[in-house]
Amino acid sequence: MNLQLLFFARLRETLGVSRTSFTLNAPATVADLLGALRDRGGVWATELAAGRNFRIAVNQEMADLNTPLSEGDEVALFPPVTGG
């Protein structure tokens, strides 16, 4: 399945990309996507490692590791935001 990935703030800066297409075998969850991205190694593995602080949204809805993914989904990865 084809997904559209969006990266914001620290992740955009560190990974060097703000938007990309990504192909993943179906069926898949957010956890599967993160595993595939970590498999790229280097900064991808470091920034998306378990325990790192970031949030995920699928089609503009907050998601967790068990959230299923579907063809054409938009997946956003971003650091947590605090208000003032």
Side-chain angles (χ1 to χ4, degrees):
M1 80 181 102
N2 294 309
L3 305 169
Q4 295 300 311
L5 307 183
L6 307 174
F7 301 93
F8 295 94
R10 176 192 91 231
L11 293 173
R12 179 184 61 227
E13 302 297 320
T14 305
L15 299 174
V17 64
S18 61
R19 171 184 284 256
T20 190
S21 297
F22 194 80
T23 302
L24 191 65
N25 291 329
T29 64
V30 167
D32 297 322
L33 172 62
L34 290 176
L37 292 172
R38 288 180 191 123
D39 286 346
R40 290 180 160 187
V43 63
W44 291 88
T46 302
E47 286 299 318
L48 301 175
R52 291 289 296 195
N53 202 8
F54 60 90
R55 302 278 189 254
I56 301 166
V58 176
N59 299 324
Q60 301 181 9
E61 297 284 333
M62 294 306 296
D64 62 28
L65 295 176
N66 297 316
T67 300
L69 298 172
S70 299
E71 173 69 31
D73 279 351
E74 177 188 83
V75 181
L77 292 93
F78 52 94
V81 199
T82 59

